[in-house]
Amino acid sequence: MLAALVAKHLTIANADVTTISLADYPLPIYDGDLEDETGIPENAFKLRKLIETHHGIFIASPEYNSSITPLLKNTLDWISRIQLPEEEPLQLFHTSVYAVGGASPGAHGSLRGLMHLRTIMEVSLGCLVLPEMISINFAGKSFDENGDLTKDHQIKRLHKLIERFVSEASHVKLQDN
């Protein structure tokens, strides 16, 4: 619901939006031996292409045991293995602006998972992740029947995130590929 809501607000802000689900890009569990035997899966290349063609990437992630989902971590691991001959390591992740958000039925609202995601993205991958993020606690009660947020402080935080995200992404120059 959060991803759909952010996409809606980005569209209202006149941003071109592509919405995906990682479930539509299945990848085997990352294993260096598997990579050596079979190479990098085609879906990792498809996801890389999506990153290459977008100024901004919003990642919505629920929290799993105070961390990010195994699906998201695995996807980042596979994409990070792709390095074209003319590229510096992890160069792909340095070309877009990233924003993150999550929703959780608990009191922490995915905040612990988002902090872990930020660490992976900023420290390990070198991404520029905006300090503004959206963390929705008690998610089952935080959205109305139209998929909009019900709490004023969360609505304000969402608007602040969208405003900064659109502004920062508009200044990104994409790689020529």
Side-chain angles (χ1 to χ4, degrees):
M1 289 180 79
L2 180 60
L5 181 62
V6 169
K8 175 179 144 181
H9 281 269
L10 287 170
T11 301
I12 291 168
N14 293 317
D16 291 327
V17 176
T18 303
T19 304
I20 69 161
S21 169
L22 294 181
D24 295 332
Y25 298 87
L27 294 164
I29 294 174
Y30 180 76
D31 177 328
D33 292 336
L34 177 64
E35 180 185 358
D36 288 344
E37 290 172 22
T38 63
I40 297 171
E42 185 61 32
N43 279 336
F45 285 98
K46 289 177 182 177
L47 289 164
R48 177 198 163 93
K49 190 65 173 168
L50 283 169
I51 293 171
E52 288 175 341
T53 59
H54 288 80
H55 298 271
I57 311 291
F58 175 76
I59 297 176
S61 177
E63 183 175 293
Y64 279 31
N65 296 320
S66 303
S67 189
I68 67 172
T69 68
L71 176 61
L72 177 55
K73 177 67 168 88
N74 190 57
T75 300
L76 292 171
D77 288 343
W78 272 114
I79 295 170
S80 74
R81 300 299 300 155
I82 302 170
Q83 182 180 344
L84 301 180
E86 66 277 5
E87 289 182 338
E88 295 292 322
L90 304 172
Q91 181 177 324
L92 167 72
F93 295 101
H94 307 163
T95 60
S96 299
V97 174
Y98 293 82
V100 297
S104 169
H108 297 290
S110 75
L111 191 56
R112 297 171 298 183
L114 291 177
M115 295 311 295
H116 189 201
L117 177 57
R118 292 183 71 86
T119 299
I120 293 166
M121 295 183 70
E122 292 173 342
V123 176
S124 299
L125 302 176
C127 299
L128 171 61
V129 182
L130 297 180
E132 295 84 0
M133 59 185 178
I134 184 81
S135 176
I136 307 299
N137 62 345
F138 305 114
K141 299 176 185 176
S142 295
F143 293 91
D144 66 17
E145 63 278 353
N146 297 317
D148 293 312
L149 293 171
T150 58
K151 299 174 186 170
D152 287 339
H153 71 280
Q154 291 174 339
I155 294 168
K156 288 178 186 174
R157 182 163 279 230
L158 174 65
H159 289 162
K160 184 177 179 182
L161 171 71
I162 296 297
E163 182 179 317
R164 175 85 182 266
F165 190 43
V166 169
S167 174
E168 295 292 334
S170 71
H171 294 96
V172 171
K173 182 178 186 282
L174 297 175
Q175 298 182 106
D176 294 327
N177 287 323

